[in-house]
Amino acid sequence: MATVRIPTPLRSLTGGEESVQASGANVRALIDDLESNHPGIKDRLLDDKGVRRFVNIYVGEEDIRFLDGLDTPLQGNEEISIVPAIAGGL
Amino acid sequence: MAKTYSDLFADVRSSVRTISLEDLKARLDDTSRPRPVLVDVREKDEFRAGYIPGAIHLPRGFLEMQAEQKLPDKGAEIVVYCAGGTRSAFAAKTLSDLGYENVLSANPGFVRWKDLRFPMEEPPKFTDAQLERYSRHLLLPEVGEKGQAKLLGSKVLLLGAGGLGSPAALYLAAAGVGTIGLVDADVVDASNLQRQILHATSRVGMPKVESAEKAIKDLNPDVKVLSYRERLLSDNVDRIFGEGWDVIVDGCDNFPTRYLVNDASLFHKVPVVHGSIFRFEGQVTTFQPFEGPCYRCLYPEPPPAHLAPSCAEAGVLGILCGIIGTLQATEAIKLILGQGDPLVGRLLTYDSLRMTFRTLKLRRDKTCPACGENPTIREYIDYEGFCAGA
């Protein structure tokens, strides 16, 4: 199982959990697995073209956009970070 | 029988290799070979009156104690000089005894160097009050007098005198950043004081730029404050960014301004230290135009408004601003000093509840519309429309 770091704006979908476990042979399958346990999360991460443009998904330290995108393979022991754009500063 | 000074000096002179000033100058001008390490062993007052550019000041009285710290490479070619060639000969002997393998003593020395009108420079001049105020910086080899002079000559623009801008402004002012620009159209509100430590209860209702200037001047009168009591927009950004800033610290609070800041910083080629916060979490990175990724490489589009509530709507832990704003100030100081590794190509994320920092890699996007190979954004766009249409 991979550990998925959930950012604050999405924690309403994980019962407040900051980190959840999920599995999948690649990032796409992992997101489907997340969706089965936390319905609604997939829509917050993906649109019909792929990963939403204001969200980045990292496997370890690497952005999947610079790996194989949603097809990036997973061994099952990775740390996945979901990092959305936030704008606050005042 | 005890040696006389003449005996001692004769011994030293016979064992130390010397280099003439003409040869030294030619050697320093020769860019095809690595530059020798120049060591000035005169007293502080002599050094302050002028020295050979690039020289390390290591007074003879501290030579044995400080040599290994200031001259870590014992195999490097070292040229020692003093005023007339005597102290440097003794110093060269001492360095050889300490295991330095390639030491030369310049002959005669700086007095003649100056008469020959060879290049020299003077250390930055500080008032006694400044020497005291910045004494802890002056002790750091990575800052020192040169670094402090750089800070005093630097210009940092803060976007927002609010949550992130407050701690950043205070620390940059304390550090002696000579000119601090502030862009903020708001007035101080009681609800700001839980986190905006530039402001004060007695200044509620005052324009934030005015309140900030009072706080900054009170902390450090060396700092010149340039206030822009306006909202940053496409039609004023060139005027404000065109003031020759060394670094921009972005602590604004909305996506349209974030994208405007990005595009303008690329047009003006000014690095931006980005900080953003949401409830208990923050992000920091440094955008170095065309060297590292830009904000559009990181987030090509903003989230729709209903997925991106502001701090005013969602709340924010006051102290989080302190952490993220001071990290931004640290980056700004490092960029000015040219020290350390800035967060170029790295996103630092902070979760105050879990008390965890993570660093994620960022890369330039070749297809980036602002800084990629074929940029399509060559002028300012409708940022409100861009962010509303997402």
Side-chain angles (χ1 to χ4, degrees), chain B residues 106-129:
Chain B
N107 198 36
F110 187 75
V111 173
R112 180 79 186 126
W113 179 275
K114 203 173 160 186
D115 288 345
L116 290 167
R117 299 190 180 276
F118 286 170
M120 54 174 278
E121 63 187 32
E122 289 177 25
K125 299 265 192 284
F126 296 102
T127 63
D128 288 347

Side-chain angles (χ1 to χ4, degrees), chain B residues 48-101:
Chain B
R48 294 201 67 82
Y51 55 86
I52 302 177
I56 294 169
H57 184 217
L58 181 43
R60 217 191 130 214
F62 293 94
L63 187 63
E64 294 86 344
M65 277 182 282
Q66 295 182 353
E68 280 156 0
Q69 182 207 336
K70 292 195 174 178
L71 307 170
D73 182 0
K74 291 198 168 180
E77 184 185 9
I78 293 173
V79 178
V80 186
Y81 73 88
C82 62
T86 305
R87 285 174 290 171
S88 63
F90 282 106
K93 172 74 164 62
T94 303
L95 288 175
S96 297
D97 292 346
L98 284 170
Y100 290 88
E101 295 158 9

Side-chain angles (χ1 to χ4, degrees), chain A residues 5-9 11 16-19 44 49 52-56 58 60-63 65-66 79 81 83-90, chain B residues 163-164 195-196 251-255 258 276-279 281 283 297-304 307 351 354 358-364:
Chain A
R5 302 280 171 196
I6 306 295
T8 310
R11 285 183 200 162
E17 287 299 317
E18 174 259 349
S19 127
R44 298 289 292 273
K49 285 175 279 184
R52 289 180 181 274
R53 307 261 281 167
F54 52 85
V55 178
N56 289 322
Y58 298 84
E61 290 186 349
E62 290 285 352
D63 186 336
R65 287 186 295 162
F66 300 100
E79 185 175 272
S81 301
V83 182
I86 52 176
L90 292 187
Chain B
L164 298 175
R195 63 198 178 284
Q196 299 184 13
C252 71
D253 67 340
N254 63 83
F255 283 105
R258 299 279 185 185
S276 54
I277 48 178
F278 184 76
R279 291 191 168 169
E281 281 182 275
Q283 299 178 6
C297 298
L298 175 56
Y299 298 117
E301 284 171 18
L307 290 181
D351 180 337
R354 307 292 175 254
R358 287 196 170 75
T359 313
L360 302 164
K361 286 185 192 162
L362 307 183
R363 291 179 200 278
R364 281 186 78 179

Side-chain angles (χ1 to χ4, degrees), chain B residues 220-357:
Chain B
N220 189 348
D222 284 347
V223 180
K224 179 181 166 193
V225 177
L226 296 182
S227 293
Y228 303 91
R229 193 187 164 192
E230 52 200 309
R231 191 176 144 82
L232 196 69
L233 295 166
S234 298
D235 54 16
N236 63 10
V237 69
D238 283 333
R239 168 171 54 84
I240 296 172
F241 279 25
E243 286 279 347
W245 305 103
D246 296 296
V247 185
I248 292 171
V249 174
D250 183 2
C252 71
D253 67 340
N254 63 83
F255 283 105
T257 312
R258 299 279 185 185
Y259 284 95
L260 169 65
V261 168
N262 182 69
D263 297 350
S265 70
L266 291 167
F267 296 153
H268 289 266
K269 298 193 173 62
V270 187
V272 174
V273 182
H274 169 97
S276 54
I277 48 178
F278 184 76
R279 291 191 168 169
F280 296 96
E281 281 182 275
Q283 299 178 6
V284 187
T285 185
T286 295
F287 298 118
Q288 185 72 259
F290 306 104
E291 284 181 30
C294 78
Y295 189 62
R296 287 182 188 272
C297 298
L298 175 56
Y299 298 117
E301 284 171 18
H306 69 281
L307 290 181
S310 69
C311 292
E313 295 160 322
V316 64
L317 183 71
I319 302 162
L320 176 68
C321 302
I323 305 284
I324 299 299
T326 43
L327 287 170
Q328 288 178 275
T330 311
E331 284 288 285
I333 297 279
K334 281 162 55 190
L335 290 175
I336 294 163
L337 294 175
Q339 290 289 347
D341 301 314
L343 284 169
V344 176
R346 292 186 293 155
L347 179 72
L348 183 71
T349 66
Y350 172 60
D351 180 337
S352 61
L353 288 178
R354 307 292 175 254
M355 203 50 95
T356 49
F357 287 92

